[in-house]
Amino acid sequence: PKFPWRGLLLDCCRHFFDKEKVKQYIDLLAYYKMNTLHWHLTEDHGWRIAIDQYPKLTTIGAWRKGEDGQPYGGFYTKADIRALVAYAAERHINIVPEIELPGHSQAAIAAYPHLSCTGEAVEVGTEWGVFKDVYCAGNERTFQFLEAVLLEVMALFPSPYIHIGGDECPKYRWEHCSKCQRRIDDEGLQDAHELQRYFIRRINAFLQKHHRRLIGWDEILEGGLTDSSVVVQSWRGMDGALQAAHQGQCAIASPTSHAYFDYQLDAIDLEKVYQFSPIPVGYSGDLKYILGGECNMWTERVPTDSVLDQRVFPRLLAMSEVLWTAPVVRDYPQFNNLYKNQTPTLAAKKNEK
Ligand code: ACM
Ligand code: ZN
């Protein structure tokens, strides 16, 4: 393959997909020669991974009020996760867990309100969007919590990389929180934006101590995080990948323009994915910094297994082709014929779960 990182992000938080579905996707990824399952496990809308030290993450944080008023959700036990990690490894798929911080954390805060700036009770998120309640950056208990969670996560996942999110963290609570303001003063920071840098750096130091590399969404660049072990996942276009590679950091490309498989086919069709290149336009540096790409399968509007299948396939085949062959002159009609030959295979696999 041209690129060593060929991934699918599967958001199991906005909607929950059971372990059999995840296993089927591991099979499909392997079949189409992808090698990374980026498993989005924590969100405002649900916490999906059992953590022994914090049981309310799954007794409370895994369940939200569903559209019919009944609890909606689910989670993976440690036994489920160990089995899936082993199953994936046998198929040469690395599972990268994503534990979102400091934003996208409302489900954890619903379970443990002391983790937020206000300490007030909140519900696991039910509306789609970005939420203002985030982990308090001024409270040491936040870091105790996150380190304990990450230790349990690292014990389950041998992945050299741990994804910590880092995207879309509103600063409103931090600007109005005395603990966060004290942290800003104590650390000599300018404002709440620099507090995010402090937060990510601290988590990075913890992961490094445990010999893991941090991956974050491109927002992590805003604080000037230039550590060469950090990997940047570019989603707001390709600028994050370009900046990271220029400063000697590895990048994974999954821009909204080509790699957001939650978008409908009329926005990103098969040909558009096929035309993608994970190499940013204008980049002439060492290609070793461009690890590859991912298809990002967010699931706000993907309530069922069959909608998931419709969104991922056949576009995943185009991404696989891109990551095996780019950059080359592309022949879409030829690819289209190749993929049509796969239709019976895909139809058969659909029922294998
Ligand atoms: C993202 O889509 N917020 C990474
Ligand atoms: Zn705070």
Side-chain angles (χ1 to χ4, degrees), residues 89-100:
E90 284 165 13
R91 287 154 185 79
H92 306 283
I93 304 283
N94 183 42
I95 305 187
V96 178
E98 181 177 359
I99 305 297
E100 275 264 21

Side-chain angles (χ1 to χ4, degrees), residues 189-246:
L189 307 172
Q190 294 292 322
D191 55 21
H193 292 277
E194 291 200 358
L195 191 54
Q196 162 123 351
R197 178 187 65 189
Y198 165 87
F199 203 116
I200 303 290
R201 284 194 175 175
R202 196 163 157 179
I203 297 295
N204 185 41
F206 180 75
L207 290 178
Q208 279 186 334
K209 200 166 79 187
H210 295 276
H211 311 290
R212 307 295 180 109
R213 291 178 67 176
L214 177 148
I215 309 179
W217 299 105
D218 55 51
E219 282 92 333
I220 66 169
L221 287 164
E222 284 162 15
L225 190 71
T226 52
D227 194 301
S228 67
S229 76
V230 163
V231 179
V232 176
Q233 184 161 6
S234 201
W235 72 281
R236 297 173 301 176
M238 293 292 282
D239 289 353
L242 189 62
Q243 188 188 332
H246 270 148

Side-chain angles (χ1 to χ4, degrees), residues 138-190:
N139 188 345
E140 278 309 294
R141 292 182 72 191
T142 294
F143 293 94
Q144 284 163 15
F145 166 80
L146 288 170
E147 291 182 4
V149 166
L150 288 169
L151 281 177
E152 293 195 30
V153 167
M154 289 188 282
L156 286 169
F157 293 93
S159 169
Y161 302 89
I162 305 289
H163 205 303
I164 56 77
D167 59 323
E168 299 180 318
C169 178
K171 304 298 181 298
Y172 178 81
R173 290 293 191 213
W174 292 358
E175 282 161 355
H176 295 87
C177 168
S178 59
K179 292 190 284 295
C180 286
Q181 291 303 313
R182 189 165 340 115
R183 178 83 76 192
I184 287 171
D185 289 345
D186 290 350
E187 297 292 327
L189 307 172
Q190 294 292 322

